[in-house]
Amino acid sequence: MYIFDTLMNRMRRGCQTMAYPHGPAPALPDRHGGALRLDASACPAGCDACAEVCPTGAISRQPGSSTTLDLGRCLFCGACTKTCPHGAVTRTSDHRLAVRRRDDLLLGKPGEEELRLAEALDKKMKSLLGRSLRLRQVSAGGCCACEADINVLGTIGWDLGRFGIQYVASPRHADGVLITGPVTKGMELALRKTWEAVPEPRIAIALGACAISGGPFIGHPQHNGGADPVVPIDLYIPGCPPHPLTILDGFLRLLGRLEEQKG
């Protein structure tokens, strides 16, 4: 009887998987705010109000130069947007944050007020990985926040498997590694060996502020300041932690599976 009731309940509920990317993307929570935008031309001389409240030093201003915001360091706490009296730093409510190059996360120069979104893999890599991507996840000292959002993508609402993307237990069966955490000294060898065990051609994805720059632990001697010094990164997905929608957008963007990248 219990099984019958369960089946009937599931049938009444219908399909629970979201339509995205073939339908509208789900809205971000009000507190999230999405990507940040920096209009450095609005910063008056001598004003360092946003830089003083940034917990990771993501905002800096050198003498004689414009303000710079590094979204690879940013925890998206929103302290800068609340503190800036000139509206130079603002939230965009845009979930898209993935980039291919580390420099694309730096904002502040004229014409670079927002990050430069990731482009798809080249034709050869897309032909190999575009329809089926297997990732070995390596938590290299993470706090489990990024890991939790990675797991969310496997639930019925997101159903990551419908895109041919799966997490695997062995690097021998993987096409790449998905790295979280600042890569502590204790996990450096494990990450390096996992990377070397993945057959070529392979890719590496740094997910979260820790894996990109060290995040809230930046400058601590017991980690490597992210995955870049250990393995070559093909995709950066910033956030602390990144929203599942941001992660999914990054995966699909890398594989050229989003409509906006076609044609």
Side-chain angles (χ1 to χ4, degrees):
M1 192 64 181
Y2 174 76
I3 294 177
F4 179 75
D5 291 342
T6 300
L7 290 175
M8 290 300 294
N9 184 47
R10 289 290 177 89
M11 291 178 65
R12 282 193 292 268
R13 291 172 61 185
C15 179
Q16 296 295 304
T17 304
M18 67 182 66
Y20 177 83
H22 303 298
L28 293 175
D30 293 338
R31 292 188 301 172
H32 189 287
L36 296 178
R37 185 180 192 278
L38 171 62
D39 181 6
S41 63
C43 299
C47 179
D48 293 321
C50 56
E52 292 173 356
V53 299
C54 182
T56 58
I59 304 177
S60 60
R61 186 172 191 176
Q62 303 298 326
S65 61
S66 61
T67 304
T68 301
L69 169 56
D70 183 357
L71 291 183
R73 287 187 171 204
C74 183
L75 305 183
F76 296 85
C77 63
C80 54
T81 61
K82 297 174 183 175
T83 303
C84 179
H86 310 287
V89 187
T90 54
R91 296 177 182 269
T92 65
S93 299
D94 191 345
H95 66 271
R96 303 173 302 169
L97 288 164
V99 302
R100 293 293 306 277
R101 301 184 307 129
R102 181 69 177 85
D103 289 346
D104 289 339
L105 291 171
L106 301 178
L107 314 183
K109 293 181 180 178
E112 296 182 354
E113 289 81 9
E114 298 183 14
L115 53 76
R116 279 71 70 193
L117 291 172
E119 297 180 352
L121 292 167
D122 60 40
K123 187 175 181 180
K124 179 181 179 182
M125 290 294 284
K126 277 181 64 178
S127 67
L128 294 171
L129 309 176
R131 299 183 62 183
S132 175
L133 177 63
R134 303 290 187 265
L135 295 172
R136 173 67 177 129
Q137 205 274 310
V138 180
S139 179
C143 70
C144 293
C146 290
E147 292 82 351
D149 275 356
I150 291 171
N151 286 334
V152 167
L153 291 177
T155 61
I156 191 171
W158 299 85
D159 191 14
L160 184 65
R162 63 186 158 134
F163 303 108
I165 305 171
Q166 293 180 336
Y167 309 128
V168 295
S170 169
R172 298 292 185 190
H173 304 155
D175 301 306
V177 291
L178 176 61
I179 307 161
T180 56
V183 188
T184 59
K185 296 297 183 182
M187 282 297 296
E188 179 179 351
L189 181 60
L191 174 59
R192 199 180 298 278
K193 285 191 172 183
T194 301
W195 171 249
E196 293 172 352
V198 176
E200 295 184 357
R202 57 199 174 190
I203 64 171
I205 301 173
L207 191 147
C210 289
I212 297 174
S213 66
F217 313 107
I218 196 164
H220 197 285
Q222 292 303 315
H223 67 76
N224 290 279
D228 254 334
V230 183
V231 298
I233 300 299
D234 297 282
L235 184 71
Y236 299 87
I237 306 178
C240 186
H243 191 277
L245 182 58
T246 300
I247 302 172
L248 179 58
D249 172 83
F251 290 166
L252 298 181
R253 193 168 295 280
L254 184 68
L255 299 177
R257 303 277 289 275
L258 293 176
E259 291 296 328
E260 61 189 80
Q261 289 186 336
K262 297 178 180 178

